[in-house]
mmCIF file of all heavy atoms in Angstrom:
data_model
loop_
_atom_site.group_PDB
_atom_site.id
_atom_site.type_symbol
_atom_site.label_atom_id
_atom_site.label_comp_id
_atom_site.label_asym_id
_atom_site.label_seq_id
_atom_site.Cartn_x
_atom_site.Cartn_y
_atom_site.Cartn_z
ATOM 1 N N PHE A 413 -34.788 -19.967 -26.621
ATOM 2 C CA PHE A 413 -33.941 -20.177 -27.907
ATOM 3 C C PHE A 413 -34.843 -20.016 -29.096
ATOM 4 O O PHE A 413 -34.343 -19.437 -30.157
ATOM 5 C CB PHE A 413 -33.323 -21.481 -27.900
ATOM 6 C CG PHE A 413 -32.251 -21.678 -26.910
ATOM 7 C CD1 PHE A 413 -32.296 -22.448 -25.839
ATOM 8 C CD2 PHE A 413 -31.060 -20.977 -27.117
ATOM 9 C CE1 PHE A 413 -31.333 -22.594 -24.885
ATOM 10 C CE2 PHE A 413 -29.935 -21.039 -26.177
ATOM 11 C CZ PHE A 413 -29.982 -21.876 -24.995
ATOM 12 N N ILE A 414 -36.054 -20.396 -29.133
ATOM 13 C CA ILE A 414 -36.899 -20.294 -30.231
ATOM 14 C C ILE A 414 -37.216 -18.837 -30.468
ATOM 15 O O ILE A 414 -37.257 -18.376 -31.551
ATOM 16 C CB ILE A 414 -38.314 -21.074 -29.965
ATOM 17 C CG1 ILE A 414 -38.049 -22.602 -29.989
ATOM 18 C CG2 ILE A 414 -39.216 -20.775 -31.079
ATOM 19 C CD1 ILE A 414 -39.243 -23.401 -29.481
ATOM 20 N N ILE A 415 -37.433 -18.107 -29.394
ATOM 21 C CA ILE A 415 -37.658 -16.583 -29.572
ATOM 22 C C ILE A 415 -36.510 -15.906 -30.002
ATOM 23 O O ILE A 415 -36.534 -15.074 -30.995
ATOM 24 C CB ILE A 415 -38.084 -15.994 -28.164
ATOM 25 C CG1 ILE A 415 -39.414 -16.613 -27.733
ATOM 26 C CG2 ILE A 415 -38.078 -14.458 -28.194
ATOM 27 C CD1 ILE A 415 -39.829 -16.164 -26.344
ATOM 28 N N LEU A 416 -35.245 -16.321 -29.586
ATOM 29 C CA LEU A 416 -34.064 -15.668 -30.003
ATOM 30 C C LEU A 416 -33.789 -15.945 -31.490
ATOM 31 O O LEU A 416 -33.448 -15.153 -32.215
ATOM 32 C CB LEU A 416 -32.869 -16.248 -29.208
ATOM 33 C CG LEU A 416 -31.520 -15.646 -29.590
ATOM 34 C CD1 LEU A 416 -31.424 -14.179 -29.234
ATOM 35 C CD2 LEU A 416 -30.410 -16.410 -28.852
ATOM 36 N N ARG A 417 -34.036 -17.214 -31.921
ATOM 37 C CA ARG A 417 -33.873 -17.656 -33.281
ATOM 38 C C ARG A 417 -34.836 -16.866 -34.199
ATOM 39 O O ARG A 417 -34.414 -16.358 -35.323
ATOM 40 C CB ARG A 417 -34.097 -19.102 -33.554
ATOM 41 C CG ARG A 417 -33.833 -19.583 -34.936
ATOM 42 C CD ARG A 417 -34.037 -21.057 -35.003
ATOM 43 N NE ARG A 417 -33.723 -21.628 -36.346
ATOM 44 C CZ ARG A 417 -34.524 -21.489 -37.379
ATOM 45 N NH1 ARG A 417 -35.727 -20.966 -37.212
ATOM 46 N NH2 ARG A 417 -34.164 -21.909 -38.576
ATOM 47 N N LYS A 418 -36.079 -16.729 -33.780
ATOM 48 C CA LYS A 418 -37.038 -15.918 -34.642
ATOM 49 C C LYS A 418 -36.525 -14.506 -34.761
ATOM 50 O O LYS A 418 -36.816 -13.963 -35.826
ATOM 51 C CB LYS A 418 -38.427 -15.985 -33.831
ATOM 52 C CG LYS A 418 -39.534 -15.361 -34.674
ATOM 53 C CD LYS A 418 -40.874 -15.482 -33.973
ATOM 54 C CE LYS A 418 -41.912 -14.723 -34.763
ATOM 55 N NZ LYS A 418 -43.235 -14.946 -34.059
ATOM 56 N N ILE A 419 -35.988 -13.850 -33.763
ATOM 57 C CA ILE A 419 -35.603 -12.503 -33.861
ATOM 58 C C ILE A 419 -34.341 -12.233 -34.601
ATOM 59 O O ILE A 419 -34.155 -11.309 -35.424
ATOM 60 C CB ILE A 419 -35.544 -11.898 -32.472
ATOM 61 C CG1 ILE A 419 -36.915 -11.807 -31.838
ATOM 62 C CG2 ILE A 419 -34.934 -10.449 -32.506
ATOM 63 C CD1 ILE A 419 -36.907 -11.366 -30.319
ATOM 64 N N SER A 420 -33.398 -13.213 -34.311
ATOM 65 C CA SER A 420 -32.057 -12.923 -34.906
ATOM 66 C C SER A 420 -31.692 -13.801 -36.087
ATOM 67 O O SER A 420 -30.793 -13.494 -36.750
ATOM 68 C CB SER A 420 -30.975 -13.285 -33.812
ATOM 69 O OG SER A 420 -31.021 -14.670 -33.511
ATOM 70 N N GLY A 421 -32.439 -14.881 -36.281
ATOM 71 C CA GLY A 421 -31.993 -15.859 -37.275
ATOM 72 C C GLY A 421 -30.883 -16.713 -37.012
ATOM 73 O O GLY A 421 -30.270 -17.430 -37.752
ATOM 74 N N PHE A 422 -30.468 -16.687 -35.707
ATOM 75 C CA PHE A 422 -29.392 -17.462 -35.191
ATOM 76 C C PHE A 422 -29.678 -18.845 -35.085
ATOM 77 O O PHE A 422 -30.740 -19.342 -34.570
ATOM 78 C CB PHE A 422 -29.124 -17.015 -33.725
ATOM 79 C CG PHE A 422 -27.638 -17.085 -33.260
ATOM 80 C CD1 PHE A 422 -27.105 -15.922 -32.708
ATOM 81 C CD2 PHE A 422 -26.910 -18.201 -33.533
ATOM 82 C CE1 PHE A 422 -25.697 -15.882 -32.336
ATOM 83 C CE2 PHE A 422 -25.529 -18.191 -33.116
ATOM 84 C CZ PHE A 422 -24.920 -17.169 -32.583
ATOM 85 N N GLU A 423 -28.943 -19.751 -35.785
ATOM 86 C CA GLU A 423 -29.309 -21.194 -35.861
ATOM 87 C C GLU A 423 -28.988 -21.755 -34.454
ATOM 88 O O GLU A 423 -28.046 -21.496 -33.738
ATOM 89 C CB GLU A 423 -28.336 -21.927 -36.857
ATOM 90 C CG GLU A 423 -28.579 -21.599 -38.212
ATOM 91 C CD GLU A 423 -30.082 -22.087 -38.693
ATOM 92 O OE1 GLU A 423 -30.426 -22.963 -38.075
ATOM 93 O OE2 GLU A 423 -30.586 -21.356 -39.547
ATOM 94 N N LEU A 424 -29.961 -22.520 -33.988
ATOM 95 C CA LEU A 424 -29.947 -23.112 -32.674
ATOM 96 C C LEU A 424 -28.704 -24.007 -32.405
ATOM 97 O O LEU A 424 -28.124 -23.917 -31.452
ATOM 98 C CB LEU A 424 -31.247 -23.957 -32.459
ATOM 99 C CG LEU A 424 -31.254 -24.637 -31.062
ATOM 100 C CD1 LEU A 424 -31.258 -23.649 -29.943
ATOM 101 C CD2 LEU A 424 -32.602 -25.438 -30.975
#
Side-chain angles (χ1 to χ4, degrees):
F413 288 111
I414 294 173
I415 293 172
L416 181 68
R417 184 181 183 279
K418 183 178 179 180
I419 294 174
S420 67
F422 214 129
E423 290 297 331
L424 180 59

